[in-house]
Amino acid sequence: MRNDKKYRITRQRAIILDTLAKSKNHLTADEIYERVRPKMPHISLGTVYRNLDFLCEQGLINKLELGGNMRRYECRMECHYHVRCIECGKVEDIEFATDKPLEEIIGLECEYEIIEHQLEFIGICPSCRKAATREPDGKAGKSK
Amino acid sequence: MRNDKKYRITRQRAIILDTLAKSKNHLTADEIYERVRPKMPHISLGTVYRNLDFLCEQGLINKLELGGNMRRYECRMECHYHVRCIECGKVEDIEFATDKPLEEIIGLECEYEIIEHQLEFIGICPSCRKAATREPDGKAGKSK
DNA sequence: ATAACTGCAAACGTTTTGCCAGCAT
DNA sequence: ATGCTGGCAAAACGTTTGCAGTTAT
């Protein structure tokens, strides 16, 4: 079952990727849409969403699922961490040495006034893992 | 400017709180709605949302803003961490010693097969902090 | 009488989708 | 000719809100 689809880097995709690469913040789909529009006035928000998904699948960008109402996207692919402003919603990268105890990291100093933090692990729970084993074609149940 | 509102713990609020307290998982508003309905068939989803917000404000429960599409609520108030199943969306608490280096924690073992993790700090960015200082009545701009 | 609260339905903001025309191969 | 792609508009989804009637004090 190979996938023979031939993908193109269309003008829309290139501009979206470029917009994301040039922004130091992490942008929402709508922010990207607004930044692309001056150069490409007829692009639609649906295209932005579709192509952000496409770029994620290609491993070129990352979809961030943090708190707040809107998803944000970023280019940086290595594992790293984020600060989010509770007032304006802006998201930035945060750097610290991971060889320190978590307790110490939590009290980290940065330009933000830190109110809280959140550490979330994402994985597959025991029962879903069992379900996947029962279906040997690799297609575990569940849509999205 | 004091707040003289008198709040009641209504039947709806009590049942919602009880439902949350009895569940070991972290529930979405809709899951709570479905569990409350058998006992109180005319409750509306709007009431569930309104009362979840109310219980948060009272400090009785916690609103979780993790990845995934839906917000989840929990009773446990001390700081702790979560695992989320990427297949079924279930969220559970996770325990580990925080005096260990983050690197070690990241490789933690639990019943889940961990795929990734995410550490998010929530705070106020420098420019929003400045904006708040300029408005000395304490009401920083921004709605939500 | 008053204020808090509810159910219902409509509105909201973000994201996804269906459809058909356009374009590259 | 095929099939990926884009624009548009509608739908979908979780959540919030306005309103009018109910409840507790």
Side-chain angles (χ1 to χ4, degrees), chain A residues 8 29 45-46 49-50 53 69-71 144:
Chain A
R8 284 175 272 148
L45 190 50
Y49 274 105
R50 255 189 301 239
D53 276 350
N69 295 319
M70 285 135 76
R71 270 169 212 152
K144 63 165 47 185

Side-chain angles (χ1 to χ4, degrees), chain A residues 44-59:
Chain A
S44 83
L45 190 50
T47 299
V48 172
Y49 274 105
R50 255 189 301 239
N51 284 334
L52 286 169
D53 276 350
F54 167 84
L55 294 168
C56 281
E57 275 161 33
Q58 302 302 304

Side-chain angles (χ1 to χ4, degrees), chain A residues 33-143:
Chain A
Y33 176 57
E34 288 304 337
R35 293 188 190 200
V36 168
R37 229 133 64 103
K39 297 167 213 156
M40 192 180 266
H42 288 290
I43 196 171
S44 83
L45 190 50
T47 299
V48 172
Y49 274 105
R50 255 189 301 239
N51 284 334
L52 286 169
D53 276 350
F54 167 84
L55 294 168
C56 281
E57 275 161 33
Q58 302 302 304
L60 295 169
I61 65 170
N62 224 348
K63 184 189 287 195
L64 259 58
E65 298 208 336
L66 305 175
N69 295 319
M70 285 135 76
R71 270 169 212 152
R72 290 174 179 273
Y73 299 82
E74 66 177 1
C75 267
R76 185 175 170 185
M77 299 305 288
E78 333 90 72
C79 174
H80 62 283
Y81 304 103
H82 300 100
V83 228
R84 172 166 56 94
C85 176
I86 212 171
E87 292 285 340
C88 67
K90 178 170 57 191
V91 172
E92 297 185 79
D93 292 342
I94 194 166
E95 315 288 344
F96 52 79
T98 58
D99 60 350
K100 293 191 179 166
L102 182 57
E103 283 174 348
E104 198 172 316
I105 289 168
I106 287 165
L108 99 170
E109 283 184 34
C110 71
E111 294 190 304
Y112 281 61
E113 177 187 329
I114 304 292
I115 296 169
E116 50 170 333
H117 71 280
Q118 193 163 248
L119 178 49
E120 179 191 18
F121 291 86
I122 298 104
I124 303 180
C125 73
S127 60
C128 285
R129 208 140 35 114
K130 264 179 235 148
T133 315
R134 266 183 251 114
E135 303 174 50
D137 57 320
K139 285 184 187 171
K142 288 302 295 180
S143 44

Side-chain angles (χ1 to χ4, degrees), chain B:
Chain B
M1 173 200 174
R2 29 201 288 259
N3 186 344
D4 280 344
K5 284 194 181 178
K6 279 176 246 112
Y7 296 117
R8 280 177 273 148
I9 294 299
T10 59
R11 205 157 93 77
Q12 288 81 342
R13 287 173 182 176
I15 292 187
I16 289 169
L17 192 53
D18 185 63
T19 303
L20 214 39
K22 282 200 177 116
S23 165
K24 68 179 207 310
N25 291 337
H26 300 60
L27 303 178
T28 64
D30 202 67
E31 285 167 349
I32 294 166
Y33 177 57
E34 289 303 338
R35 294 189 189 198
V36 168
R37 228 131 65 100
K39 297 167 213 157
M40 191 180 267
H42 288 291
I43 196 171
S44 84
L45 190 50
T47 298
V48 172
Y49 274 106
R50 253 187 305 237
N51 284 334
L52 286 169
D53 277 350
F54 167 85
L55 294 168
C56 281
E57 276 160 33
Q58 302 301 306
L60 295 170
I61 65 169
N62 223 350
K63 184 190 288 196
L64 258 57
E65 296 209 338
L66 305 175
N69 296 319
M70 284 135 72
R71 270 172 214 150
R72 291 174 178 273
Y73 298 82
E74 65 177 2
C75 268
R76 184 173 170 186
M77 298 306 286
E78 331 91 72
C79 173
H80 62 284
Y81 304 103
H82 299 101
V83 229
R84 172 166 58 93
C85 177
I86 212 171
E87 293 286 340
C88 66
K90 178 171 55 191
V91 171
E92 298 186 78
D93 291 341
I94 195 168
E95 315 287 344
F96 51 80
T98 57
D99 59 351
K100 293 191 181 167
L102 182 57
E103 283 173 349
E104 197 171 316
I105 289 169
I106 288 165
L108 98 170
E109 283 183 35
C110 70
E111 294 190 304
Y112 281 60
E113 176 187 329
I114 304 292
I115 295 169
E116 51 170 332
H117 70 279
Q118 192 165 250
L119 178 49
E120 180 190 18
F121 292 85
I122 298 104
I124 303 180
C125 72
S127 59
C128 285
R129 205 139 38 113
K130 264 178 236 148
T133 314
R134 265 182 252 113
E135 302 176 50
D137 58 319
K139 286 185 187 169
K142 288 302 294 180
S143 44
K144 61 168 47 179

